[in-house]
Amino acid sequence: MIRAVAGDADLELCARICSAVEEVAPTAEQLRAVQDRLLLDPDGGYAYVNDSSVVGSAYAMVRVLPERRRAGIGSALVEAAAASARELGHESAWGWVRAGDEDSLRFVSRRGFLEVGREVELTRRLATGEGAVPARIVELGDEHRVGAYAVSVAAVPDMPTAGPAEARSFENWVEQELADAVAAFVAVEGGTVVGYATLQPMADPARLEHGFTGVLPEHRRRGFATALGRAQIAWAAEHGYEELVTTTGVSNTGLRRQKVKLGYVERDGPIVVRGAV
């Protein structure tokens, strides 16, 4: 029977399920932060459902222990996740299938979730003390929040994702994106915030994930995104992290070129799927 995650034992089970499926999985303590968005089948599966920047669409993830597949757990969790997405006011849901996982892609396709895009994964190994924060790049402070949010409003609709996207509310942006960030930087020109970028934690404490990187349209192609990327590399290296990771749509050739220029290595990333709920 699928139910809400109720306590430590449930969180431990979710962590164990995820670790059996993913190369790097969150701990039970890390899952506690999103406990209210988790659904559990104690027989071996769980789902995560939350709002997303994609208009009218929730983000959803379903994970099932390999040995418990083909027992109806995944199908029931997909239905429960769809119901949860509807409760959040959405008409569709989207998520990722790992590259090369044809069984999972067939599974979600049979349930109405179709491929809408493919991504690439970019990784950058770090060396202690490498890099420097470029001029006009500073850590994001309270005085930069309004300007950084304006960048988000302008840049989020341009992001290649599961569908048309829009920035979340200012309050939600502060409470989730900024509060969750390990580090955040802004690009400033003439006293105006023209771009910002965040680094987000991962289950592996030696790695960080690039969160949002955006630049105001009228300030693009002037090196600000690259400068923000250099600042992130320098900060992460200084603080002892070993690797930076990000994913982006195959069509996002601009970001892909920028990351390769900064020393990132590219490989096939996840498949984006979306379906009505």
Side-chain angles (χ1 to χ4, degrees):
M1 176 180 178
I2 296 172
R3 55 175 173 77
V5 169
D8 291 349
D10 286 353
L11 290 169
E12 291 286 354
L13 178 54
C14 289
R16 183 168 67 85
I17 293 167
C18 197
S19 66
V21 178
E22 304 289 350
E23 292 181 8
V24 180
T27 65
E29 189 57 37
Q30 289 168 328
L31 286 172
R32 191 184 306 280
V34 294
Q35 179 174 336
D36 62 333
R37 303 307 320 149
L38 299 175
L39 299 168
L40 176 68
D41 185 325
D43 285 337
Y46 80 97
Y48 167 75
V49 186
N50 205 353
D51 294 312
S52 80
S53 59
V54 178
V55 178
S57 196
Y59 171 72
M61 180 187 77
V62 172
R63 296 291 181 265
V64 178
L65 287 171
E67 66 270 21
R68 295 296 296 145
R69 293 176 182 175
R70 297 179 177 83
I73 295 173
S75 297
L77 282 167
V78 168
E79 292 180 8
S84 181
R86 291 193 296 271
E87 290 172 3
L88 290 172
H90 299 294
E91 299 176 349
S92 67
W94 69 277
W96 284 293
V97 174
R98 293 193 313 279
D101 189 352
E102 297 300 325
D103 285 345
S104 293
L105 187 59
R106 284 192 292 270
F107 171 84
V108 298
S109 296
R110 290 195 295 267
R111 286 152 184 83
F113 289 82
L114 304 179
E115 178 180 331
V116 295
R118 295 207 172 213
E119 301 205 337
V120 294
E121 181 183 86
L122 295 136
T123 58
R124 170 65 151 80
R125 297 296 297 175
L126 301 170
T128 303
E130 73 167 306
V133 177
R136 297 186 294 178
I137 306 298
V138 298
E139 290 198 45
L140 190 155
D142 291 347
E143 70 274 19
H144 302 122
R145 286 184 173 184
V146 172
Y149 180 69
V151 174
S152 179
V153 171
V156 166
D158 296 333
M159 294 170 56
T161 185
E166 62 182 12
R168 63 189 75 185
S169 70
F170 178 80
E171 293 76 15
N172 186 272
W173 175 77
V174 170
E175 292 175 0
Q176 293 194 26
E177 184 167 336
L178 293 192
D180 292 345
V182 175
F185 296 88
V186 292
V188 181
E189 183 175 62
T192 298
V193 174
V194 300
Y196 87 94
T198 65
L199 289 172
Q200 305 290 342
M202 297 185 70
D204 183 344
R207 308 168 84 205
L208 290 175
E209 182 176 20
H210 288 280
F212 177 88
T213 296
V215 176
L216 291 174
E218 61 271 26
H219 291 273
R220 293 174 187 168
R221 297 180 178 84
R222 294 176 54 192
F224 287 112
T226 299
L228 286 164
R230 293 190 188 282
Q232 292 175 308
I233 290 170
W235 186 94
E238 179 184 355
H239 287 79
Y241 291 96
E242 298 175 5
E243 189 172 57
L244 296 178
V245 182
T246 191
T247 59
T248 191
V250 170
S251 63
N252 193 359
T253 55
L255 180 62
R256 291 170 65 186
R257 284 195 299 267
Q258 179 223 81
K259 292 303 184 188
V260 171
K261 177 181 176 181
L262 291 173
Y264 288 71
V265 176
E266 185 175 291
R267 68 175 184 177
D268 289 343
I271 302 163
V272 185
V273 296
R274 183 179 180 181
V277 296

